[in-house]
Amino acid sequence: MATAPDGMSSTVFLTPTHISWIFADGCQMKLRHGISVVIMILWSNFVAAAESWVLFGSARASTTNCAPTYIWATETVFHNTSSADRQIVVLHQSKAEILPPSIVVRGGESLPLSSFVGDFPPGLAALKLDVPADVVVESRLEYRNILPCSGQPPALGPSGKLALPSFRLVDAGQPQRHFGLDLGIQSIRVNVGVYNAAPTFALATIEMRRPACDDRMTSVVMIPPDTLIQTTVPAPLCAAVLNPRTPYWMVNATVTVDQPSFSYATTVSNVQQPNVTFGVGIPDVP
């Protein structure tokens, strides 16, 4: 995921062990009349680097009876831009080691990680990879529609996809800022995920703010070592607009963790079928 501006990241690093939903809280996402998913990405890119962390796995939205649902699946594709074969080394797998220790990508080939495991494994894992400079690493989020009682066979492939953003570890105590967490004037809930990279417990402080009103809400969560947690944080109401130049519906967040970490934030509509934003925390530039 190529070079990013100062304060942004070109490394993905996730080791979730206590998470069932990362991009949206599936318990609230029940569909009545088919599937419609709209996601806005605030920062995304590709990686052409020596060492990368990527996500791998899947999570299924909850449903009731025969209501349609879907599966989110993270995928990584290696695009070999050279004519010669290249070797990808799997340096670390945060969950069960289901991938081979190394992967050969033929010259000119685009090779997905899922080709080595069949179905996407449930839950999310972090993979640390050593990648040659002429292999581009594409991280993507795919979703697959599921019609439980239709009798139809599973779809042959995803119904849609989008590019995933990249991450890097942020130093302890450095604020990670998330902007544009609103969905316009819609009623929303915001899910904030924080990964603790330390071998000890971490304390994360999450502050939600409406800049037009300067109204704030703060949550504090404890995160076990080497673990990603996700928590739903309410967006503050706008009691009175203090800055009329800023739309009252805008919502920002700041995440501060006392251990090396990274964070993300997703915003889910309370009034429409799945409608989500995804943003990567931007640390302050010294």
Side-chain angles (χ1 to χ4, degrees):
M1 295 181 182
T3 303
D6 289 344
M8 294 190 181
S9 131
S10 59
T11 306
V12 178
F13 185 104
L14 262 188
T15 310
T17 56
H18 297 90
I19 182 171
S20 60
W21 266 102
I22 176 172
F23 302 106
D25 49 351
C27 61
Q28 307 251 354
M29 301 172 70
K30 297 172 182 173
L31 311 183
R32 297 179 180 175
H33 304 292
I35 302 294
S36 175
V37 179
V38 178
I39 300 179
M40 293 174 285
I41 293 296
L42 302 182
W43 179 263
S44 62
N45 51 16
F46 290 78
V47 170
E51 192 172 284
S52 300
W53 287 86
V54 298
L55 286 175
F56 189 57
S58 65
R60 178 169 177 160
S62 66
T63 186
T64 56
N65 300 323
C66 292
T69 186
Y70 49 88
I71 292 177
W72 294 106
T74 62
E75 174 69 284
T76 299
V77 184
F78 303 109
H79 302 280
N80 186 354
T81 62
S82 75
S83 58
D85 292 356
R86 292 289 183 260
Q87 179 174 275
I88 312 295
V89 179
V90 180
L91 299 175
H92 176 71
Q93 301 180 53
S94 66
K95 300 180 74 173
E97 294 188 1
I98 60 175
L99 292 170
S102 64
I103 296 167
V104 174
V105 187
R106 298 188 184 96
E109 184 180 30
S110 292
L111 182 66
L113 267 180
S114 61
S115 64
F116 292 91
V117 296
D119 291 336
F120 292 94
L124 293 170
L127 303 178
K128 185 179 182 182
L129 307 170
D130 184 27
V131 184
D134 49 6
V135 174
V136 175
V137 181
E138 177 198 359
S139 293
R140 52 198 281 163
L141 176 65
E142 301 176 346
Y143 68 91
R144 297 170 184 249
N145 292 338
I146 305 237
L147 303 173
C149 303
S150 67
Q152 299 178 14
L156 297 178
S159 301
K161 69 92 183 174
L162 60 151
L164 280 177
S166 60
F167 300 91
R168 76 169 184 184
L169 285 183
V170 176
D171 292 338
Q174 187 174 13
Q176 302 171 53
R177 306 194 186 277
H178 302 265
F179 299 105
L181 295 181
D182 60 275
L183 292 174
I185 61 174
Q186 291 187 52
S187 172
I188 61 170
R189 58 192 182 275
V190 180
N191 299 320
V192 177
V194 185
Y195 170 67
N196 172 21
T200 58
F201 276 79
L203 196 67
T205 301
I206 304 167
E207 181 187 80
M208 305 293 298
R209 175 173 175 261
R210 288 192 186 269
C213 321
D214 205 27
D215 291 307
R216 304 165 189 256
M217 295 190 73
T218 301
S219 301
V220 178
V221 294
M222 186 73 71
I223 310 170
D226 194 27
T227 298
L228 186 146
I229 62 96
Q230 178 172 290
T231 184
T232 299
V233 182
L237 299 175
C238 186
V241 174
L242 302 179
N243 183 4
R245 289 161 42 120
T246 302
Y248 72 88
W249 55 80
M250 288 187 174
V251 178
N252 301 331
T254 302
V255 178
T256 307
V257 187
D258 65 357
Q259 300 290 348
S261 65
F262 72 79
S263 65
Y264 65 84
T266 71
T267 306
V268 185
S269 172
N270 290 325
V271 296
Q272 291 189 2
Q273 293 181 357
N275 194 327
V276 183
T277 66
F278 187 101
V280 176
I282 305 172
D284 285 347
V285 177

